[in-house]
Amino acid sequence: VTTAPAPTFGDNLRTTRQSLGFTQSRLAEISGVDRVRIVRIEAGSYQAAADEIVRLATALRAPLTQLFYRTARPFEGLAVR
């Protein structure tokens, strides 16, 4: 049995951006992160710096967890013992 790989930061960035109807150019305008860099982040060929991650999340009005995990609540369903 094979499972799909977990989405990457770039996958989650793309999904969040598209859900808001933003183009990469529009996200670049409002975040101050270069459009080519956004293309590379989404493709997985560039690892965003901490300040870029914060600027992207702020521009998307998304919690950081939404960009790093499959959902905005990464620990949902875990039992505390």
Side-chain angles (χ1 to χ4, degrees), residues 3-22:
T3 59
T8 64
F9 177 84
D11 295 332
N12 292 335
L13 176 64
R14 181 183 317 102
T15 299
T16 303
R17 173 183 61 75
Q18 290 174 338
S19 74
L20 295 171
F22 288 174

Side-chain angles (χ1 to χ4, degrees), residues 6-81:
T8 64
F9 177 84
D11 295 332
N12 292 335
L13 176 64
R14 181 183 317 102
T15 299
T16 303
R17 173 183 61 75
Q18 290 174 338
S19 74
L20 295 171
F22 288 174
T23 62
Q24 291 169 332
S25 295
R26 180 66 181 136
L27 180 56
E29 287 174 19
I30 58 178
S31 69
V33 176
D34 184 71
R35 186 193 64 80
V36 173
R37 198 160 280 184
I38 292 171
V39 169
R40 293 180 63 209
I41 292 167
E42 289 184 358
S45 63
Y46 175 80
Q47 193 167 9
D51 68 307
E52 293 170 323
I53 292 168
V54 170
R55 291 189 323 213
L56 291 166
T58 301
L60 294 169
R61 296 183 180 206
L64 291 173
T65 54
Q66 183 173 328
L67 299 180
F68 283 100
Y69 299 98
R70 191 179 305 259
T71 70
R73 295 178 289 204
F75 304 110
E76 184 176 286
L78 293 180
V80 177
R81 296 177 188 219

